Every structure is written in C-alpha cells, then in structure tokens.
PDB file of all heavy atoms in Angstrom:
ATOM      1  N   GLN M   1      -4.574   0.019  21.735  1.00 80.00           N
ATOM      2  CA  GLN M   1      -4.275   1.081  20.759  1.00 80.00           C
ATOM      3  C   GLN M   1      -2.804   0.949  20.378  1.00 80.00           C
ATOM      4  O   GLN M   1      -2.441   1.099  19.136  1.00 80.00           O
ATOM      5  CB  GLN M   1      -4.571   2.411  21.141  1.00 80.00           C
ATOM      6  CG  GLN M   1      -6.057   2.739  21.241  1.00 80.00           C
ATOM      7  CD  GLN M   1      -6.285   4.203  21.707  1.00 80.00           C
ATOM      8  OE1 GLN M   1      -5.844   4.567  22.728  1.00 80.00           O
ATOM      9  NE2 GLN M   1      -7.284   4.824  20.989  1.00 80.00           N
ATOM     10  N   VAL M   2      -1.902   0.710  21.399  1.00 77.00           N
ATOM     11  CA  VAL M   2      -0.476   0.466  21.154  1.00 77.00           C
ATOM     12  C   VAL M   2      -0.386  -0.580  20.099  1.00 77.00           C
ATOM     13  O   VAL M   2       0.407  -0.607  19.179  1.00 77.00           O
ATOM     14  CB  VAL M   2       0.390   0.268  22.421  1.00 77.00           C
ATOM     15  CG1 VAL M   2       1.730  -0.142  22.056  1.00 77.00           C
ATOM     16  CG2 VAL M   2       0.281   1.610  23.125  1.00 77.00           C
ATOM     17  N   LEU M   3      -0.978  -1.848  20.357  1.00 73.00           N
ATOM     18  CA  LEU M   3      -0.889  -2.971  19.384  1.00 73.00           C
ATOM     19  C   LEU M   3      -1.330  -2.520  17.990  1.00 73.00           C
ATOM     20  O   LEU M   3      -0.761  -3.057  16.943  1.00 73.00           O
ATOM     21  CB  LEU M   3      -1.631  -4.112  20.000  1.00 73.00           C
ATOM     22  CG  LEU M   3      -1.066  -4.685  21.203  1.00 73.00           C
ATOM     23  CD1 LEU M   3      -1.928  -5.951  21.672  1.00 73.00           C
ATOM     24  CD2 LEU M   3       0.283  -5.389  21.004  1.00 73.00           C
ATOM     25  N   TRP M   4      -2.531  -1.740  17.962  1.00 79.00           N
ATOM     26  CA  TRP M   4      -3.116  -1.474  16.683  1.00 79.00           C
ATOM     27  C   TRP M   4      -2.018  -0.476  15.899  1.00 79.00           C
ATOM     28  O   TRP M   4      -1.847  -0.481  14.551  1.00 79.00           O
ATOM     29  CB  TRP M   4      -4.426  -0.796  16.700  1.00 79.00           C
ATOM     30  CG  TRP M   4      -5.472  -1.805  16.743  1.00 79.00           C
ATOM     31  CD1 TRP M   4      -6.375  -2.014  17.850  1.00 79.00           C
ATOM     32  CD2 TRP M   4      -5.908  -2.619  15.751  1.00 79.00           C
ATOM     33  NE1 TRP M   4      -7.273  -3.024  17.585  1.00 79.00           N
ATOM     34  CE2 TRP M   4      -6.966  -3.449  16.246  1.00 79.00           C
ATOM     35  CE3 TRP M   4      -5.459  -2.853  14.466  1.00 79.00           C
ATOM     36  CZ2 TRP M   4      -7.540  -4.360  15.503  1.00 79.00           C
ATOM     37  CZ3 TRP M   4      -6.070  -3.872  13.714  1.00 79.00           C
ATOM     38  CH2 TRP M   4      -7.163  -4.560  14.220  1.00 79.00           C
ATOM     39  N   ILE M   5      -1.478   0.445  16.574  1.00 80.00           N
ATOM     40  CA  ILE M   5      -0.474   1.380  16.048  1.00 80.00           C
ATOM     41  C   ILE M   5       0.693   0.534  15.360  1.00 80.00           C
ATOM     42  O   ILE M   5       1.109   0.725  14.317  1.00 80.00           O
ATOM     43  CB  ILE M   5       0.100   2.335  17.034  1.00 80.00           C
ATOM     44  CG1 ILE M   5      -1.096   3.343  17.450  1.00 80.00           C
ATOM     45  CG2 ILE M   5       1.370   3.068  16.528  1.00 80.00           C
ATOM     46  CD1 ILE M   5      -0.619   4.247  18.677  1.00 80.00           C
ATOM     47  N   GLY M   6       1.097  -0.592  16.128  1.00 71.00           N
ATOM     48  CA  GLY M   6       2.118  -1.397  15.678  1.00 71.00           C
ATOM     49  C   GLY M   6       1.739  -2.257  14.409  1.00 71.00           C
ATOM     50  O   GLY M   6       2.579  -2.397  13.483  1.00 71.00           O
ATOM     51  N   ASP M   7       0.593  -2.805  14.456  1.00 68.00           N
ATOM     52  CA  ASP M   7       0.355  -3.848  13.448  1.00 68.00           C
ATOM     53  C   ASP M   7      -0.527  -3.550  12.275  1.00 68.00           C
ATOM     54  O   ASP M   7      -0.707  -4.309  11.365  1.00 68.00           O
ATOM     55  CB  ASP M   7      -0.017  -5.184  14.189  1.00 68.00           C
ATOM     56  CG  ASP M   7      -1.355  -5.142  14.804  1.00 68.00           C
ATOM     57  OD1 ASP M   7      -2.241  -4.315  14.562  1.00 68.00           O
ATOM     58  OD2 ASP M   7      -1.615  -5.845  15.870  1.00 68.00           O
ATOM     59  N   ILE M   8      -1.290  -2.398  12.423  1.00 79.00           N
ATOM     60  CA  ILE M   8      -2.233  -2.145  11.323  1.00 79.00           C
ATOM     61  C   ILE M   8      -1.664  -1.870  10.069  1.00 79.00           C
ATOM     62  O   ILE M   8      -2.194  -2.113   8.916  1.00 79.00           O
ATOM     63  CB  ILE M   8      -3.193  -1.028  11.798  1.00 79.00           C
ATOM     64  CG1 ILE M   8      -4.548  -0.994  10.895  1.00 79.00           C
ATOM     65  CG2 ILE M   8      -2.463   0.407  11.770  1.00 79.00           C
ATOM     66  CD1 ILE M   8      -5.554  -0.077  11.343  1.00 79.00           C
ATOM     67  N   TYR M   9      -0.367  -1.372  10.159  1.00 77.00           N
ATOM     68  CA  TYR M   9       0.390  -1.092   8.911  1.00 77.00           C
ATOM     69  C   TYR M   9       0.619  -2.384   8.091  1.00 77.00           C
ATOM     70  O   TYR M   9       0.318  -2.409   6.927  1.00 77.00           O
ATOM     71  CB  TYR M   9       1.644  -0.478   9.376  1.00 77.00           C
ATOM     72  CG  TYR M   9       2.766  -0.428   8.220  1.00 77.00           C
ATOM     73  CD1 TYR M   9       2.730   0.615   7.254  1.00 77.00           C
ATOM     74  CD2 TYR M   9       3.838  -1.340   8.238  1.00 77.00           C
ATOM     75  CE1 TYR M   9       3.705   0.719   6.307  1.00 77.00           C
ATOM     76  CE2 TYR M   9       4.828  -1.269   7.262  1.00 77.00           C
ATOM     77  CZ  TYR M   9       4.741  -0.176   6.310  1.00 77.00           C
ATOM     78  OH  TYR M   9       5.736  -0.097   5.279  1.00 77.00           O
ATOM     79  N   SER M  10       1.180  -3.414   8.745  1.00 67.00           N
ATOM     80  CA  SER M  10       1.439  -4.683   8.039  1.00 67.00           C
ATOM     81  C   SER M  10       0.111  -5.481   7.632  1.00 67.00           C
ATOM     82  O   SER M  10       0.111  -6.095   6.738  1.00 67.00           O
ATOM     83  CB  SER M  10       2.377  -5.582   8.912  1.00 67.00           C
ATOM     84  OG  SER M  10       3.737  -5.029   8.948  1.00 67.00           O
ATOM     85  N   LEU M  11      -0.847  -5.232   8.467  1.00 70.00           N
ATOM     86  CA  LEU M  11      -2.134  -5.919   8.272  1.00 70.00           C
ATOM     87  C   LEU M  11      -2.718  -5.239   6.872  1.00 70.00           C
ATOM     88  O   LEU M  11      -3.298  -6.048   6.150  1.00 70.00           O
ATOM     89  CB  LEU M  11      -3.165  -5.629   9.412  1.00 70.00           C
ATOM     90  CG  LEU M  11      -4.490  -6.322   9.319  1.00 70.00           C
ATOM     91  CD1 LEU M  11      -4.352  -7.890   9.216  1.00 70.00           C
ATOM     92  CD2 LEU M  11      -5.237  -5.999  10.482  1.00 70.00           C
ATOM     93  N   ALA M  12      -2.735  -4.003   6.747  1.00 78.00           N
ATOM     94  CA  ALA M  12      -3.189  -3.416   5.564  1.00 78.00           C
ATOM     95  C   ALA M  12      -2.474  -3.820   4.364  1.00 78.00           C
ATOM     96  O   ALA M  12      -3.130  -4.224   3.204  1.00 78.00           O
ATOM     97  CB  ALA M  12      -3.214  -1.889   5.625  1.00 78.00           C
ATOM     98  N   ILE M  13      -1.147  -3.810   4.513  1.00 75.00           N
ATOM     99  CA  ILE M  13      -0.397  -4.375   3.293  1.00 75.00           C
ATOM    100  C   ILE M  13      -0.672  -5.748   2.997  1.00 75.00           C
ATOM    101  O   ILE M  13      -0.768  -6.199   1.892  1.00 75.00           O
ATOM    102  CB  ILE M  13       1.121  -4.278   3.632  1.00 75.00           C
ATOM    103  CG1 ILE M  13       1.631  -2.835   3.702  1.00 75.00           C
ATOM    104  CG2 ILE M  13       2.026  -5.005   2.565  1.00 75.00           C
ATOM    105  CD1 ILE M  13       3.101  -2.608   4.041  1.00 75.00           C
ATOM    106  N   ALA M  14      -0.729  -6.634   4.051  1.00 67.00           N
ATOM    107  CA  ALA M  14      -1.063  -8.048   3.682  1.00 67.00           C
ATOM    108  C   ALA M  14      -2.446  -8.203   3.026  1.00 67.00           C
ATOM    109  O   ALA M  14      -2.538  -8.940   2.064  1.00 67.00           O
ATOM    110  CB  ALA M  14      -1.109  -8.826   5.080  1.00 67.00           C
ATOM    111  N   GLY M  15      -3.447  -7.409   3.463  1.00 71.00           N
ATOM    112  CA  GLY M  15      -4.717  -7.559   2.927  1.00 71.00           C
ATOM    113  C   GLY M  15      -4.937  -6.994   1.500  1.00 71.00           C
ATOM    114  O   GLY M  15      -5.758  -7.457   0.706  1.00 71.00           O
ATOM    115  N   LEU M  16      -4.015  -6.160   1.095  1.00 77.00           N
ATOM    116  CA  LEU M  16      -4.110  -5.474  -0.128  1.00 77.00           C
ATOM    117  C   LEU M  16      -3.134  -5.890  -1.217  1.00 77.00           C
ATOM    118  O   LEU M  16      -3.069  -5.382  -2.292  1.00 77.00           O
ATOM    119  CB  LEU M  16      -4.079  -4.002   0.058  1.00 77.00           C
ATOM    120  CG  LEU M  16      -5.413  -3.381   0.733  1.00 77.00           C
ATOM    121  CD1 LEU M  16      -5.057  -1.910   1.116  1.00 77.00           C
ATOM    122  CD2 LEU M  16      -6.566  -3.465  -0.123  1.00 77.00           C
ATOM    123  N   LEU M  17      -2.134  -6.735  -0.857  1.00 73.00           N
ATOM    124  CA  LEU M  17      -1.020  -6.964  -1.736  1.00 73.00           C
ATOM    125  C   LEU M  17      -1.443  -7.664  -3.062  1.00 73.00           C
ATOM    126  O   LEU M  17      -1.095  -7.198  -4.116  1.00 73.00           O
ATOM    127  CB  LEU M  17       0.025  -7.976  -1.091  1.00 73.00           C
ATOM    128  CG  LEU M  17       1.146  -7.349  -0.289  1.00 73.00           C
ATOM    129  CD1 LEU M  17       2.046  -8.347   0.397  1.00 73.00           C
ATOM    130  CD2 LEU M  17       2.060  -6.583  -1.362  1.00 73.00           C
ATOM    131  N   VAL M  18      -2.258  -8.649  -3.052  1.00 72.00           N
ATOM    132  CA  VAL M  18      -2.853  -9.299  -4.138  1.00 72.00           C
ATOM    133  C   VAL M  18      -3.702  -8.322  -4.998  1.00 72.00           C
ATOM    134  O   VAL M  18      -3.508  -8.318  -6.268  1.00 72.00           O
ATOM    135  CB  VAL M  18      -3.567 -10.544  -3.813  1.00 72.00           C
ATOM    136  CG1 VAL M  18      -4.125 -11.182  -5.155  1.00 72.00           C
ATOM    137  CG2 VAL M  18      -2.849 -11.544  -3.092  1.00 72.00           C
ATOM    138  N   THR M  19      -4.569  -7.470  -4.311  1.00 77.00           N
ATOM    139  CA  THR M  19      -5.345  -6.650  -5.111  1.00 77.00           C
ATOM    140  C   THR M  19      -4.308  -5.500  -5.770  1.00 77.00           C
ATOM    141  O   THR M  19      -4.668  -5.219  -7.053  1.00 77.00           O
ATOM    142  CB  THR M  19      -6.133  -5.727  -4.066  1.00 77.00           C
ATOM    143  OG1 THR M  19      -7.039  -6.730  -3.512  1.00 77.00           O
ATOM    144  CG2 THR M  19      -6.853  -4.658  -4.768  1.00 77.00           C
ATOM    145  N   MET M  20      -3.452  -5.069  -5.153  1.00 79.00           N
ATOM    146  CA  MET M  20      -2.486  -4.051  -5.798  1.00 79.00           C
ATOM    147  C   MET M  20      -1.650  -4.699  -6.869  1.00 79.00           C
ATOM    148  O   MET M  20      -1.313  -4.106  -7.909  1.00 79.00           O
ATOM    149  CB  MET M  20      -1.570  -3.321  -4.693  1.00 79.00           C
ATOM    150  CG  MET M  20      -2.407  -2.601  -3.739  1.00 79.00           C
ATOM    151  SD  MET M  20      -3.371  -1.245  -4.619  1.00 79.00           S
ATOM    152  CE  MET M  20      -4.243  -0.539  -3.127  1.00 79.00           C
ATOM    153  N   GLY M  21      -1.306  -5.947  -6.723  1.00 72.00           N
ATOM    154  CA  GLY M  21      -0.572  -6.700  -7.838  1.00 72.00           C
ATOM    155  C   GLY M  21      -1.443  -6.739  -9.047  1.00 72.00           C
ATOM    156  O   GLY M  21      -0.906  -6.491 -10.192  1.00 72.00           O
ATOM    157  N   ASN M  22      -2.718  -7.016  -8.940  1.00 71.00           N
ATOM    158  CA  ASN M  22      -3.733  -7.138 -10.002  1.00 71.00           C
ATOM    159  C   ASN M  22      -3.715  -5.684 -10.680  1.00 71.00           C
ATOM    160  O   ASN M  22      -3.771  -5.457 -11.844  1.00 71.00           O
ATOM    161  CB  ASN M  22      -5.032  -7.555  -9.633  1.00 71.00           C
ATOM    162  CG  ASN M  22      -5.083  -9.168  -9.565  1.00 71.00           C
ATOM    163  OD1 ASN M  22      -5.476  -9.780 -10.492  1.00 71.00           O
ATOM    164  ND2 ASN M  22      -4.625  -9.677  -8.491  1.00 71.00           N
ATOM    165  N   LEU M  23      -3.813  -4.651  -9.737  1.00 75.00           N
ATOM    166  CA  LEU M  23      -3.866  -3.327 -10.311  1.00 75.00           C
ATOM    167  C   LEU M  23      -2.616  -2.859 -11.033  1.00 75.00           C
ATOM    168  O   LEU M  23      -2.793  -2.244 -12.124  1.00 75.00           O
ATOM    169  CB  LEU M  23      -4.161  -2.332  -9.057  1.00 75.00           C
ATOM    170  CG  LEU M  23      -4.487  -0.734  -9.421  1.00 75.00           C
ATOM    171  CD1 LEU M  23      -5.715  -0.694 -10.389  1.00 75.00           C
ATOM    172  CD2 LEU M  23      -4.637  -0.055  -8.122  1.00 75.00           C
ATOM    173  N   ALA M  24      -1.507  -3.381 -10.525  1.00 74.00           N
ATOM    174  CA  ALA M  24      -0.267  -2.984 -11.110  1.00 74.00           C
ATOM    175  C   ALA M  24      -0.164  -3.538 -12.590  1.00 74.00           C
ATOM    176  O   ALA M  24       0.269  -2.911 -13.573  1.00 74.00           O
ATOM    177  CB  ALA M  24       0.959  -3.442 -10.474  1.00 74.00           C
ATOM    178  N   ASP M  25      -0.858  -4.777 -12.743  1.00 70.00           N
ATOM    179  CA  ASP M  25      -0.884  -5.309 -14.085  1.00 70.00           C
ATOM    180  C   ASP M  25      -1.661  -4.457 -15.174  1.00 70.00           C
ATOM    181  O   ASP M  25      -1.425  -4.468 -16.307  1.00 70.00           O
ATOM    182  CB  ASP M  25      -1.567  -6.845 -14.081  1.00 70.00           C
ATOM    183  CG  ASP M  25      -0.564  -7.821 -13.432  1.00 70.00           C
ATOM    184  OD1 ASP M  25       0.624  -7.563 -13.375  1.00 70.00           O
ATOM    185  OD2 ASP M  25      -1.166  -8.816 -12.983  1.00 70.00           O
ATOM    186  N   ARG M  26      -2.576  -3.785 -14.603  1.00 73.00           N
ATOM    187  CA  ARG M  26      -3.538  -3.007 -15.446  1.00 73.00           C
ATOM    188  C   ARG M  26      -2.894  -1.712 -15.815  1.00 73.00           C
ATOM    189  O   ARG M  26      -2.981  -1.249 -16.910  1.00 73.00           O
ATOM    190  CB  ARG M  26      -4.872  -2.770 -14.775  1.00 73.00           C
ATOM    191  CG  ARG M  26      -5.680  -4.054 -14.540  1.00 73.00           C
ATOM    192  CD  ARG M  26      -6.978  -3.959 -13.820  1.00 73.00           C
ATOM    193  NE  ARG M  26      -7.925  -3.151 -14.552  1.00 73.00           N
ATOM    194  CZ  ARG M  26      -8.783  -3.540 -15.490  1.00 73.00           C
ATOM    195  NH1 ARG M  26      -8.775  -4.942 -15.678  1.00 73.00           N
ATOM    196  NH2 ARG M  26      -9.537  -2.807 -16.234  1.00 73.00           N
ATOM    197  N   ILE M  27      -2.380  -1.016 -14.856  1.00 76.00           N
ATOM    198  CA  ILE M  27      -1.958   0.429 -14.995  1.00 76.00           C
ATOM    199  C   ILE M  27      -0.481   0.640 -15.230  1.00 76.00           C
ATOM    200  O   ILE M  27       0.052   1.695 -15.588  1.00 76.00           O
ATOM    201  CB  ILE M  27      -2.483   1.397 -13.960  1.00 76.00           C
ATOM    202  CG1 ILE M  27      -1.698   1.239 -12.544  1.00 76.00           C
ATOM    203  CG2 ILE M  27      -4.042   1.230 -13.723  1.00 76.00           C
ATOM    204  CD1 ILE M  27      -2.121   2.142 -11.494  1.00 76.00           C
ATOM    205  N   GLY M  28       0.200  -0.398 -14.979  1.00 77.00           N
ATOM    206  CA  GLY M  28       1.730  -0.446 -15.080  1.00 77.00           C
ATOM    207  C   GLY M  28       2.326  -0.348 -13.682  1.00 77.00           C
ATOM    208  O   GLY M  28       1.924   0.300 -12.743  1.00 77.00           O
ATOM    209  N   ARG M  29       3.378  -1.371 -13.535  1.00 79.00           N
ATOM    210  CA  ARG M  29       4.043  -1.393 -12.231  1.00 79.00           C
ATOM    211  C   ARG M  29       4.810  -0.174 -11.737  1.00 79.00           C
ATOM    212  O   ARG M  29       4.798   0.061 -10.687  1.00 79.00           O
ATOM    213  CB  ARG M  29       4.969  -2.701 -12.321  1.00 79.00           C
ATOM    214  CG  ARG M  29       4.017  -4.010 -12.365  1.00 79.00           C
ATOM    215  CD  ARG M  29       4.641  -4.988 -13.242  1.00 79.00           C
ATOM    216  NE  ARG M  29       3.695  -6.138 -13.553  1.00 79.00           N
ATOM    217  CZ  ARG M  29       3.693  -6.990 -14.418  1.00 79.00           C
ATOM    218  NH1 ARG M  29       4.821  -7.001 -15.368  1.00 79.00           N
ATOM    219  NH2 ARG M  29       2.842  -7.910 -14.594  1.00 79.00           N
ATOM    220  N   LYS M  30       5.549   0.358 -12.752  1.00 84.00           N
ATOM    221  CA  LYS M  30       6.358   1.628 -12.552  1.00 84.00           C
ATOM    222  C   LYS M  30       5.272   2.685 -12.005  1.00 84.00           C
ATOM    223  O   LYS M  30       5.546   3.346 -11.046  1.00 84.00           O
ATOM    224  CB  LYS M  30       7.089   1.961 -13.722  1.00 84.00           C
ATOM    225  CG  LYS M  30       7.722   3.334 -13.464  1.00 84.00           C
ATOM    226  CD  LYS M  30       8.500   3.797 -14.798  1.00 84.00           C
ATOM    227  CE  LYS M  30       9.057   5.309 -14.629  1.00 84.00           C
ATOM    228  NZ  LYS M  30       9.772   5.572 -15.908  1.00 84.00           N
ATOM    229  N   ARG M  31       4.189   2.859 -12.775  1.00 85.00           N
ATOM    230  CA  ARG M  31       3.300   3.904 -12.436  1.00 85.00           C
ATOM    231  C   ARG M  31       2.651   3.736 -11.133  1.00 85.00           C
ATOM    232  O   ARG M  31       2.645   4.723 -10.315  1.00 85.00           O
ATOM    233  CB  ARG M  31       2.204   3.998 -13.551  1.00 85.00           C
ATOM    234  CG  ARG M  31       1.210   5.036 -13.379  1.00 85.00           C
ATOM    235  CD  ARG M  31       0.228   5.103 -14.478  1.00 85.00           C
ATOM    236  NE  ARG M  31       0.988   5.328 -15.766  1.00 85.00           N
ATOM    237  CZ  ARG M  31       0.466   5.181 -16.969  1.00 85.00           C
ATOM    238  NH1 ARG M  31      -0.753   4.821 -17.203  1.00 85.00           N
ATOM    239  NH2 ARG M  31       1.189   5.632 -17.986  1.00 85.00           N
ATOM    240  N   LEU M  32       2.298   2.513 -10.724  1.00 86.00           N
ATOM    241  CA  LEU M  32       1.661   2.227  -9.373  1.00 86.00           C
ATOM    242  C   LEU M  32       2.666   2.474  -8.323  1.00 86.00           C
ATOM    243  O   LEU M  32       2.367   3.004  -7.208  1.00 86.00           O
ATOM    244  CB  LEU M  32       1.104   0.842  -9.341  1.00 86.00           C
ATOM    245  CG  LEU M  32       0.311   0.490  -8.094  1.00 86.00           C
ATOM    246  CD1 LEU M  32      -1.028   1.486  -8.024  1.00 86.00           C
ATOM    247  CD2 LEU M  32      -0.078  -0.967  -8.077  1.00 86.00           C
ATOM    248  N   LEU M  33       3.917   2.072  -8.502  1.00 86.00           N
ATOM    249  CA  LEU M  33       4.968   2.297  -7.617  1.00 86.00           C
ATOM    250  C   LEU M  33       5.198   3.803  -7.211  1.00 86.00           C
ATOM    251  O   LEU M  33       5.296   4.241  -6.134  1.00 86.00           O
ATOM    252  CB  LEU M  33       6.275   1.627  -8.007  1.00 86.00           C
ATOM    253  CG  LEU M  33       7.495   1.621  -7.106  1.00 86.00           C
ATOM    254  CD1 LEU M  33       8.310   0.476  -7.271  1.00 86.00           C
ATOM    255  CD2 LEU M  33       8.323   2.881  -7.107  1.00 86.00           C
ATOM    256  N   LEU M  34       5.242   4.608  -8.238  1.00 89.00           N
ATOM    257  CA  LEU M  34       5.415   5.977  -8.096  1.00 89.00           C
ATOM    258  C   LEU M  34       4.154   6.671  -7.432  1.00 89.00           C
ATOM    259  O   LEU M  34       4.318   7.514  -6.612  1.00 89.00           O
ATOM    260  CB  LEU M  34       5.674   6.663  -9.348  1.00 89.00           C
ATOM    261  CG  LEU M  34       6.978   6.214 -10.019  1.00 89.00           C
ATOM    262  CD1 LEU M  34       7.150   7.005 -11.481  1.00 89.00           C
ATOM    263  CD2 LEU M  34       8.159   6.438  -9.161  1.00 89.00           C
ATOM    264  N   ILE M  35       2.922   6.294  -7.821  1.00 90.00           N
ATOM    265  CA  ILE M  35       1.803   6.693  -7.065  1.00 90.00           C
ATOM    266  C   ILE M  35       1.753   6.308  -5.654  1.00 90.00           C
ATOM    267  O   ILE M  35       1.415   7.143  -4.743  1.00 90.00           O
ATOM    268  CB  ILE M  35       0.442   6.137  -7.796  1.00 90.00           C
ATOM    269  CG1 ILE M  35       0.278   6.827  -9.242  1.00 90.00           C
ATOM    270  CG2 ILE M  35      -0.741   6.427  -7.005  1.00 90.00           C
ATOM    271  CD1 ILE M  35      -0.841   6.133  -9.961  1.00 90.00           C
ATOM    272  N   GLY M  36       2.068   4.979  -5.404  1.00 88.00           N
ATOM    273  CA  GLY M  36       2.111   4.658  -3.978  1.00 88.00           C
ATOM    274  C   GLY M  36       3.205   5.307  -3.229  1.00 88.00           C
ATOM    275  O   GLY M  36       2.975   5.607  -2.004  1.00 88.00           O
ATOM    276  N   ALA M  37       4.405   5.527  -3.740  1.00 89.00           N
ATOM    277  CA  ALA M  37       5.393   6.278  -3.002  1.00 89.00           C
ATOM    278  C   ALA M  37       4.954   7.619  -2.709  1.00 89.00           C
ATOM    279  O   ALA M  37       5.301   8.046  -1.642  1.00 89.00           O
ATOM    280  CB  ALA M  37       6.675   6.271  -3.832  1.00 89.00           C
ATOM    281  N   THR M  38       4.254   8.328  -3.605  1.00 91.00           N
ATOM    282  CA  THR M  38       3.862   9.617  -3.174  1.00 91.00           C
ATOM    283  C   THR M  38       2.869   9.560  -2.067  1.00 91.00           C
ATOM    284  O   THR M  38       2.904  10.416  -1.113  1.00 91.00           O
ATOM    285  CB  THR M  38       3.172  10.318  -4.569  1.00 91.00           C
ATOM    286  OG1 THR M  38       4.119  10.317  -5.601  1.00 91.00           O
ATOM    287  CG2 THR M  38       2.618  11.776  -4.097  1.00 91.00           C
ATOM    288  N   ALA M  39       1.883   8.800  -2.106  1.00 92.00           N
ATOM    289  CA  ALA M  39       0.950   8.481  -1.124  1.00 92.00           C
ATOM    290  C   ALA M  39       1.684   8.185   0.221  1.00 92.00           C
ATOM    291  O   ALA M  39       1.253   8.609   1.399  1.00 92.00           O
ATOM    292  CB  ALA M  39      -0.118   7.488  -1.433  1.00 92.00           C
ATOM    293  N   PHE M  40       2.647   7.368   0.155  1.00 90.00           N
ATOM    294  CA  PHE M  40       3.433   6.921   1.388  1.00 90.00           C
ATOM    295  C   PHE M  40       4.089   8.130   1.964  1.00 90.00           C
ATOM    296  O   PHE M  40       3.948   8.342   3.278  1.00 90.00           O
ATOM    297  CB  PHE M  40       4.481   5.956   1.058  1.00 90.00           C
ATOM    298  CG  PHE M  40       5.019   5.117   2.117  1.00 90.00           C
ATOM    299  CD1 PHE M  40       4.418   3.932   2.521  1.00 90.00           C
ATOM    300  CD2 PHE M  40       6.037   5.564   2.858  1.00 90.00           C
ATOM    301  CE1 PHE M  40       4.809   3.118   3.556  1.00 90.00           C
ATOM    302  CE2 PHE M  40       6.660   4.834   3.917  1.00 90.00           C
ATOM    303  CZ  PHE M  40       6.040   3.634   4.203  1.00 90.00           C
ATOM    304  N   GLY M  41       4.594   9.085   1.220  1.00 90.00           N
ATOM    305  CA  GLY M  41       5.171  10.232   1.725  1.00 90.00           C
ATOM    306  C   GLY M  41       4.151  11.195   2.561  1.00 90.00           C
ATOM    307  O   GLY M  41       4.363  11.595   3.641  1.00 90.00           O
ATOM    308  N   LEU M  42       2.970  11.419   1.891  1.00 92.00           N
ATOM    309  CA  LEU M  42       1.928  12.192   2.512  1.00 92.00           C
ATOM    310  C   LEU M  42       1.407  11.591   3.782  1.00 92.00           C
ATOM    311  O   LEU M  42       1.187  12.244   4.806  1.00 92.00           O
ATOM    312  CB  LEU M  42       0.759  12.402   1.571  1.00 92.00           C
ATOM    313  CG  LEU M  42       1.154  13.137   0.176  1.00 92.00           C
ATOM    314  CD1 LEU M  42      -0.086  13.115  -0.707  1.00 92.00           C
ATOM    315  CD2 LEU M  42       1.471  14.640   0.614  1.00 92.00           C
ATOM    316  N   ALA M  43       1.205  10.227   3.866  1.00 91.00           N
ATOM    317  CA  ALA M  43       0.814   9.554   5.014  1.00 91.00           C
ATOM    318  C   ALA M  43       1.856   9.692   6.232  1.00 91.00           C
ATOM    319  O   ALA M  43       1.531   9.764   7.315  1.00 91.00           O
ATOM    320  CB  ALA M  43       0.427   8.107   4.715  1.00 91.00           C
ATOM    321  N   SER M  44       3.143   9.502   5.675  1.00 90.00           N
ATOM    322  CA  SER M  44       4.205   9.646   6.808  1.00 90.00           C
ATOM    323  C   SER M  44       4.135  11.078   7.489  1.00 90.00           C
ATOM    324  O   SER M  44       4.274  11.183   8.639  1.00 90.00           O
ATOM    325  CB  SER M  44       5.509   9.546   6.024  1.00 90.00           C
ATOM    326  OG  SER M  44       5.648   8.209   5.495  1.00 90.00           O
ATOM    327  N   ALA M  45       3.939  12.181   6.699  1.00 91.00           N
ATOM    328  CA  ALA M  45       3.704  13.467   7.218  1.00 91.00           C
ATOM    329  C   ALA M  45       2.639  13.480   8.215  1.00 91.00           C
ATOM    330  O   ALA M  45       2.707  14.068   9.281  1.00 91.00           O
ATOM    331  CB  ALA M  45       3.665  14.531   6.090  1.00 91.00           C
TER     332      ALA M  45
END
C-alpha cells in the first residue's frame, strides 16, 4: 500500500496524458487546465 500511495499518482497521469491532450484540443487547453486545477484542489483536500 505504501508503494501504491507513492506511485499511483504518476501512473494515472502517465496513462491519461495522451487522452487529456486530445480532450484539450476539443474543449480548449485553458478551459481544461482550469477544470483540472479545480479537481486537483478538491482531491488534495
């Protein structure tokens, strides 16, 4: 579990980067960045 706590974060980013890059092309890169930043704050809490 300690290992998963450490590496699942980067694993999720690695698996979804290309997907999110394609999504940014569709809805706008600024818009997706702001949506992602909001979600990042909530997940941090």
